[in-house]
Amino acid sequence: MSGPMAQAFAHNFLGHSPRWYKACIITFLILNAVVLWTLGPVIAGWMLVVEFIFTLAMALKCYPLMPGGLLLVEALVLGMTTPKALYDELLHNFPVILLLMFMVAGIYFMKDLLLFLFSRLLLGVRSKALLALMFCFLSAFLSAFLDALTVTAVIISAAVGFYAVYHRVASGNDPRLDSNVDEDHELPSHHHEDLNQFRAFLRSLLMHGAVGTALGGVCTLVGEPQNLLIGHEMGWHFADFFLKVAPVSLPVLVAGLVTCVALEKLRWFGYGTLLPDNVRTVLADYAEQDNRERTARQRAALIVQGIAALILIVGLALHIAEVGLIGLMVIVLITAFTGITDEHRLGNAFKDAMPFTALLVVFFAVVAVIHDQQLFTPLIQWVLALPADQQPGMLFIANGLLSAISDNVFVATIYITEVKQAFVSGHMSREQFETLAVAINTGTNLPSVATPNGQAAFLFLLTSAIAPLIRLSYGRMVWMALPYTVVMGGLGWYAVTYWL
């Protein structure tokens, strides 16, 4: 191959990613095959998991879909999993995929209402600690009855709106017209410090909100997908589930909210940054002008969005249908009654969700490899071989560690299946079975905030449009989640071990 053509291929491979990053991916692809053929599929499987986590950690260098996808295509070619296993995994998680396809787009059509409501919250509450507490508590409350991804999509949509308004005004553009907010070259130099401070402010609010979804999601039967699975296996209804988990979930909720306020007051781990006065002025002026110039059609659209939001909340709380289908209903209602009838405007709503949906398919392929190669089986067998009084605490730790590197729904599925088999075989009492079920539920929900791949809401935040704008990287998310991980994981383990 000629020199210029070879250079063209090298340049095109993973685009503008750094050369060292491209070299790492190529090295991974070569090593995987060598390790599989020499050391076996288990070691190769664990290498693949670590490599995929690396692509997530480097999400700001290259969107993980491409390098992660290459790794998983290779895994399929090498036989580490099969297309059928991947398809079965996707079928099992189809409700999550459906949710991302339609619910996130549905939230997009509510962005005017969200910006209207959140701007009043942001401008009306001067105390950063109180504002952070409200974000965390509201996210927890909503996630206990709705879906964590939906709640995360709401706060991301509001944050993108605030960022875009300030960036456009600071760049001298009309805040109501679309413009490129990814680049800062049009921004006057005196605005850069305010923008960096605003980024830190939004990062902290988004992280408090994301952690809140975990705090609330663990509490109820409908809070997380694995809760519903565990409740079904145990025969628990809504009230049963809440009461069984309450000795762990409620103390952790209180501790999480206290941690939220403490982090803002102490300004540790990247928290505590205040909203710059210049940014507050821009957002206040925009809100005032928006109110003054709002037309009758725009007011009617806000009313329609508000009614759709109420229908959404009631529909999700009562679980009248799969979450994704409720999202599709919201899209139909808002677009039909606000005059959005051309395909181009509809298509814009799906741009943010579809890349993450594709990435999630790749993620489920990693889960298929873990399942086919039984990477977690030795740990499960070791925990169940321990004395009965040690099992809950160790099960909590094992679930937390595995959920932090894998999918918490998958981990919960594997563990509850194994534990139920042990119960049916007569190896444990019903009381012990219920205690271990609570340990599995809390273990997959609480310590998994340690990494973005531990919680779907965290992964969604990491790969969303807002993450590169506010410089929210994988490493920064891990660092900002660390105090929450220690508090929620430590207190959760203590409660599982001594209070159940």
Side-chain angles (χ1 to χ4, degrees), residues 92-93 96 224-226 229 403 406-414 444 454:
H92 181 69
N93 290 281
V96 178
E224 290 285 351
Q226 66 265 35
L229 169 73
S403 293
S406 178
D407 173 37
N408 53 9
V409 179
F410 168 74
V411 174
T413 303
I414 296 296
T444 53

Side-chain angles (χ1 to χ4, degrees), residues 142-259:
L142 291 173
S143 294
F145 300 98
L146 309 181
D147 181 86
L149 281 173
T150 304
V151 177
T152 306
V154 168
I155 59 176
I156 288 174
S157 179
V160 170
F162 291 137
Y163 184 89
V165 167
Y166 176 70
H167 195 282
R168 287 165 185 161
V169 170
S171 302
N173 298 318
D174 188 333
R176 288 161 184 78
L177 298 177
D178 287 338
S179 62
N180 186 14
V181 295
D182 298 334
E183 301 292 339
D184 297 343
H185 61 269
E186 294 183 3
L187 207 67
S189 57
H190 62 277
H191 280 294
H192 280 272
E193 184 177 348
D194 283 337
L195 183 61
N196 287 331
Q197 187 177 337
F198 189 35
R199 284 171 173 147
F201 174 84
L202 290 177
R203 277 198 304 268
S204 60
L205 286 186
L206 286 168
M207 285 300 296
H208 288 311
V211 170
T213 64
L215 288 170
V218 69
C219 294
T220 66
L221 184 67
V222 297
E224 290 285 351
Q226 66 265 35
N227 299 13
L228 202 58
L229 169 73
I230 292 170
H232 175 73
E233 294 289 351
M234 301 302 299
W236 291 340
H237 298 295
F238 191 94
D240 301 324
F241 186 96
F242 177 80
L243 293 173
K244 293 289 185 183
V245 179
V248 182
S249 62
L250 295 187
V252 170
L253 172 61
V254 173
L257 296 176
V258 171
T259 303

Side-chain angles (χ1 to χ4, degrees), residues 21-38:
Y21 182 87
K22 298 180 181 184
C24 282
I25 299 302
I26 292 173
T27 303
F28 291 160
L29 293 170
I30 296 171
L31 278 178
N32 288 341
V34 174
V35 170
L36 177 65
W37 294 328
T38 56

